[in-house]
Amino acid sequence: MSTRTLVIDTATAACSVALFDGATLIDARHDVVGRGHAERLVPMIADLAGGGRASRILVDVGPGSFTGIRVGIAAARGLALGWGARLSGYGTLAIIAAAALDGGPLAVVTEGGHGEVFMQAFDAPFAALDAPRSLTPQAALAALDGRRAVGTGTRWLAALDDRVPRDDTLPDARHAMLLPAIERALPAAPFYGRAPDAKPPAPRAA
């Protein structure tokens, strides 16, 4: 157990978990659930070798679905407490980039809600060229600057410019060890990438 890492990814429509011994993948599950991460996650972990038990837990902290991010982090925190495991996070856009980089620059573009997309540019072997941000599809298309685009948000860009291929790549926990160590050492705290949909009511006038 001492070298095992459990990876939890529920920040998007995908729900995936992976168990590693060092950098070696032992077991993994991946399902596109849309919603319902809370119901699927714990059984998926339990179905892994050894019940997924590990001395380190990695969790996707976003940006992505508000609910999905909270489900994953809550589960990761609970398991870390129960197992006495170390806990850290990684970014949604970074793990997609780590699996997709093939020698040239690219932009990861994912669904952002309210008609916007999350976007971040990367270059090989792995370098983030900017920070994740929420943009309108028009602004994202302009920021693409000739780079290859991957991720579910490309459907919005393809609708504006048919030269942009649609790509439905979602994060997969089994790709976590492709990330540099520093990218797997983020605080296990939500990074939503934009303001919450629900806002507290304004105070009443006296």
Side-chain angles (χ1 to χ4, degrees), residues 17 29 37-48:
V17 295
R29 303 287 185 275
H37 296 81
E39 292 77 18
R40 289 286 293 120
L41 179 59
V42 172
M44 287 177 77
I45 294 172
D47 197 38
L48 293 172

Side-chain angles (χ1 to χ4, degrees), residues 105-116:
L106 61 78
V108 178
V109 186
T110 62
E111 295 281 356
H114 297 291
E116 294 196 343

Side-chain angles (χ1 to χ4, degrees), residues 5-6 8 54-59 76 79-80 83 85-89:
T5 300
L6 171 66
I8 296 172
S55 59
R56 185 184 181 194
I57 299 173
L58 278 173
V59 61
L79 291 173
W83 294 344
R86 293 177 294 134
L87 176 62
S88 59

Side-chain angles (χ1 to χ4, degrees), residues 61-70 73 112 118 134 189-196:
V61 299
S65 157
F66 285 85
T67 302
I69 292 169
R70 290 196 298 269
I73 291 177
F118 295 119
S134 184
F191 174 67
Y192 295 123
R194 58 182 172 84

